């Protein structure tokens, strides 16, 4: 993105991100929509507050800017509110830091220094574990809102389907990938469009990322419609998926025979 665009918006960027002055935020969004600055709105939606991100997503939905929505659903993190550490933890960190910076520790018994070092190491391990838990528990409502909104448009928009396929394959969060995959895989017309187009890799991604046996079975059954085509194209991944997930024994057997035929 051309960074001069940021300079043109100036202080509006602050209002777009924080929504601290609602009418200023709305004016900024309206200006961006009028100027078709969708790339900027997409980038701001990644880190903006929930209020501002929701408004920008609504603007993109209204304008059918599905690429912007896919970007946000793939990359946006939950905005976490900063919180003060408990006094005990803060004091402990200050003590550890002071000891680390102290040049003359000769008057401190070795066993106390050893205990302090061990406490510091344990605190770092605990902090890393806490960060991992936070990352695993990311439940950003904006990502969920985008997936639900795109799912409602599957009946009328191929572009909405394409955006959901991207999210199902590339979102940084398993829960979002799973939700998007289930939306597309449970919409039979979308599945049929992917089958007709021979997009076996996308269908396999949907079947796997949905993490549901019923979805994998539906995808396996759909892929079986073009078993001969996949065999001719030596698409072993598609044949293998059918062999493992087709709901019927005969369908699995036909896929295994096609695989054997490929050597």
């Amino acid at each position: 993105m051309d960074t001069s665009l940021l300079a043109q918006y100036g202080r509006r960027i602050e209002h777009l991100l924080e929504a601290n002055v609602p009418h200023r935020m709305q004016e900024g969004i309206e200006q961006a929509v009028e100027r078709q600055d969708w790339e900027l709105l997409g980038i701001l939606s990644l880190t903006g507050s929930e209020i501002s991100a929701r408004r920008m997503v609504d603007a993109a939905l209204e304008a059918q800017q599905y690429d912007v929505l896919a970007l946000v659903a793939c990359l946006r993190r939950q905005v976490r509110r900063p919180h003060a550490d408990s006094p005990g933890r803060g004091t402990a960190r200050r003590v550890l830091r002071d000891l680390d910076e102290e040049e003359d520790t000769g008057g401190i018994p070795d066993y106390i220094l050893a205990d302090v070092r061990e406490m510091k190491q344990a605190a770092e391990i605990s902090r890393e574990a806490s960060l991992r838990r936070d990352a695993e528990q990311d439940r950003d409502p904006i990502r969920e809102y985008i997936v639900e909104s795109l799912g409602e448009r599957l009946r009328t928009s191929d572009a909405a389907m394409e955006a959901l396929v991207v999210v199902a394959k590339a979102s940084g969060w398993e829960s979002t990938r799973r939700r998007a995959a289930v939306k597309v895989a449970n919409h039979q017309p979308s599945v049929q469009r992917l089958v007709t187009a021979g997009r076996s890799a996308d269908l396999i991604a949907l079947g796997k990322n949905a993490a549901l046996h019923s979805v994998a079975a539906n995808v396996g059954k759909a892929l079986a419609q073009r078993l001969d085509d996949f065999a001719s194209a030596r698409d072993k991944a598609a044949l293998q998926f059918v062999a493992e997930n087709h709901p019927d024994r005969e369908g699995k057997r036909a896929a295994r025979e096609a695989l054997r035929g490929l050597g």
Side-chain angles (χ1 to χ4, degrees), residues 55-245:
R55 294 282 185 88
M56 289 186 275
V57 164
D58 282 339
L61 281 168
E62 185 176 352
Q64 300 180 23
Q65 292 290 325
Y66 298 129
D67 288 347
V68 171
L69 298 170
L71 170 74
V72 179
C74 284
L75 301 180
R76 179 178 165 85
R77 297 192 68 95
Q78 182 178 0
V79 177
R80 301 187 184 280
R81 298 179 182 275
H83 58 85
D85 290 317
S86 63
R89 290 182 61 186
T91 301
R93 275 202 296 272
R94 285 195 298 273
V95 170
L96 294 174
R97 184 177 64 246
D98 291 344
L99 282 174
D100 279 343
E101 294 175 354
E102 183 66 44
E103 294 182 0
D104 182 13
T105 57
I108 304 176
D110 289 343
Y111 72 90
I112 292 181
L113 287 175
D115 286 346
V116 169
R117 305 303 179 201
E118 186 175 340
M119 288 170 57
K120 179 180 180 182
Q121 184 177 11
E124 288 298 322
I125 293 174
S126 176
R127 179 175 178 274
E128 290 179 5
S130 177
L131 290 173
R132 284 195 297 270
R133 284 194 300 272
D134 285 346
E136 292 169 358
Q137 295 172 1
D138 189 301
R139 295 291 184 270
D140 176 64
I142 299 299
R143 296 199 310 269
E144 181 177 340
Y145 176 62
I146 290 173
V147 171
E148 292 299 319
S149 299
L150 291 174
E152 294 171 359
R153 301 183 178 213
L154 283 174
R155 295 189 302 274
T156 58
S157 173
D158 288 352
M161 180 202 73
E162 296 294 349
L164 276 177
V165 170
V166 171
V167 176
K169 295 176 66 176
S171 179
W173 290 268
E174 181 183 358
S175 60
T176 305
R177 292 194 302 271
R178 183 186 304 122
R179 187 183 296 271
V182 170
K183 288 289 183 185
V184 180
N186 284 341
H187 186 245
Q188 193 56 38
S190 293
V191 172
Q192 194 58 49
R193 281 197 290 271
L194 294 172
V195 170
T196 302
R199 294 168 59 176
S200 60
D202 288 338
L203 285 162
I204 292 171
L206 295 177
K208 290 181 177 180
N209 292 346
L212 290 172
H213 175 73
S214 59
V215 171
N218 287 339
V219 171
K221 189 173 182 178
L223 285 170
Q225 299 174 36
R226 299 196 58 180
L227 211 60
D228 292 340
D229 294 334
F230 294 137
S232 299
R234 301 189 65 82
D235 190 342
K236 292 184 178 181
L239 297 175
Q240 186 67 42
F241 192 88
V242 176
E244 294 175 355
N245 297 285

